[in-house]
């Protein structure tokens, strides 16, 4: 069976036969089997009820926003089970979140399916890239990365203002030494390649970073070599607002 709009279906999994010992009494299971056909049924002379068994399935549709793809784009999931969809960012983009009938921030989305069709959309955001072999005179793309995190933050903040949307900075592996404190005062996303993989080193010259924007997000770095102006503890990240992960 399939609904007229194609969003629901059901497969017949078999049948069950119930009888009553006396009229109006409780129904008792007398026989059952799988399949969609019945060759014959025994006649017991009692009230009899035949119940076909159905397994409903619900459609899950996934759509990719600009900058990425999703897989699978459509699947059928048994009602009450989980639909798994993977979002993959394209070049110069990163995955942001899932929106629609379900939400989430993991690129591998696992969504519990109810009794209604499910539709989700993967959202991606553009990034500028930083690599140790980059140049601040480059375009800041994955194949033409910038050299310094400070310059990338400045470019990303300007683009975020122009686009009125989220823009990120993707920093590749390696240790990135800096001569002065990094300042994140706009809602950009500053993303490293992993703790212990991407290192921000202030070389004992300043605090590593101050984050002061409510929508700013910093993740996947090792922070080292920071120093406060007074020489006290707290030379790593000064979080006035935003999220540090």
């Amino acid at each position: 069976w399939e609904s007229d709009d194609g969003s629901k279906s059901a497969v017949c999994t078999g049948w069950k036969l119930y009888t009553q010992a006396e009229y109006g009494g409780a129904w008792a299971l007398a026989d059952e089997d799988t399949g969609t056909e019945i060759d014959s049924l025994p006649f017991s002379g009692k009230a009899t009820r035949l119940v076909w068994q159905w397994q409903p399935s619900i459609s899950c549709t996934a759509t990719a926003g600009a900058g990425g793809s999703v897989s699978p784009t459509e699947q059928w999931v048994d009602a009450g089970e989980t639909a798994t969809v993977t979002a993959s960012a394209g070049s110069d983009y990163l995955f942001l979140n899932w929106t629609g009938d379900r939400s989430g921030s993991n690129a591998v989305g696992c969504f519990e399916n109810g009794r209604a069709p499910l539709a989700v959309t993967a959202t991606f955001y553009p990034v500028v890239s930083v690599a140790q072999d980059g140049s601040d005179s480059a375009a800041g793309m994955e194949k033409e990365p910038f050299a310094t995190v400070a310059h990338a933050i400045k470019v990303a903040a300007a683009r975020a203002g122009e686009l009125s949307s989220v823009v990120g900075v993707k920093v590749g592996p390696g240790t990135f030494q800096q001569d002065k404190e990094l300042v994140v005062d706009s809602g950009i996303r500053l993303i490293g390649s992993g703790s212990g993989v991407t290192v921000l080193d202030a070389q004992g010259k300043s605090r590593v970073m101050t984050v002061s924007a409510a929508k700013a997000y910093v993740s996947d770095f090792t922070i080292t070599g920071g120093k406060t102006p007074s020489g006290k503890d707290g030379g790593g990240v000064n979080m006035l607002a935003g999220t540090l992960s």
Side-chain angles (χ1 to χ4, degrees):
W1 172 85
E2 185 172 323
S3 62
D4 292 339
D5 63 2
S7 64
K8 301 178 182 178
S9 70
V11 176
C12 182
T13 59
W15 54 270
K16 292 185 178 182
L17 184 68
Y18 298 88
T19 60
Q20 284 181 326
E22 58 183 29
Y23 181 76
W27 290 99
L29 180 64
D31 197 4
E32 62 180 319
D33 201 355
T34 58
T36 59
E37 297 180 358
I38 302 175
D39 293 331
S40 63
L41 288 174
F43 178 69
S44 63
K46 303 175 182 178
T48 303
R49 174 188 292 172
L50 176 64
V51 180
W52 291 99
Q53 305 298 301
W54 296 87
Q55 175 59 58
S57 296
I58 309 297
S59 66
C60 175
T61 303
T63 305
S69 61
V70 294
S71 179
T73 56
E74 187 171 1
Q75 60 183 298
W76 288 92
V77 181
D78 289 347
E81 296 299 319
T82 298
T84 300
V85 187
T86 300
S88 301
S91 179
D92 301 311
Y93 282 84
L94 288 176
F95 171 77
L96 180 61
N97 58 16
W98 294 99
T99 60
D101 293 329
R102 300 289 188 274
S103 61
S105 57
N106 193 320
V108 179
C110 296
F111 308 113
E112 184 176 345
N113 209 353
R115 296 279 177 176
L118 181 66
V120 293
T121 298
T123 303
F124 304 89
Y125 62 98
V127 295
V128 296
S129 294
V130 182
Q132 290 197 310
D133 60 353
S135 169
D136 283 350
S137 61
M141 302 169 64
E142 183 178 341
K143 295 182 179 179
E144 301 177 58
F146 292 135
T148 65
V149 178
H151 181 69
I153 290 173
K154 181 179 179 180
V155 171
R159 291 184 183 176
E162 294 169 0
L163 299 173
S164 298
S165 64
V166 175
V167 175
V169 175
K170 177 62 176 177
V171 186
T175 298
F176 294 82
Q177 296 181 330
Q178 55 196 63
D179 294 322
K180 60 181 181 180
E181 180 180 355
L182 299 174
V183 177
V184 180
D185 55 6
S186 65
I188 67 170
R189 296 175 69 88
L190 183 60
I191 311 295
S193 297
S195 177
V197 179
T198 303
V199 180
L200 300 180
D201 183 4
Q203 307 179 81
K205 297 179 180 181
S206 67
R207 181 184 283 118
V208 177
M209 184 190 312
T210 289
V211 181
S212 59
K215 293 185 178 181
Y217 181 87
V218 180
S219 178
D220 293 325
F221 291 97
T222 290
I223 304 296
T224 190
K227 180 182 178 181
T228 61
S230 62
K232 296 182 179 180
D233 293 338
V237 180
N238 182 23
M239 291 295 298
L240 301 178
T243 302
L244 178 65
S245 174

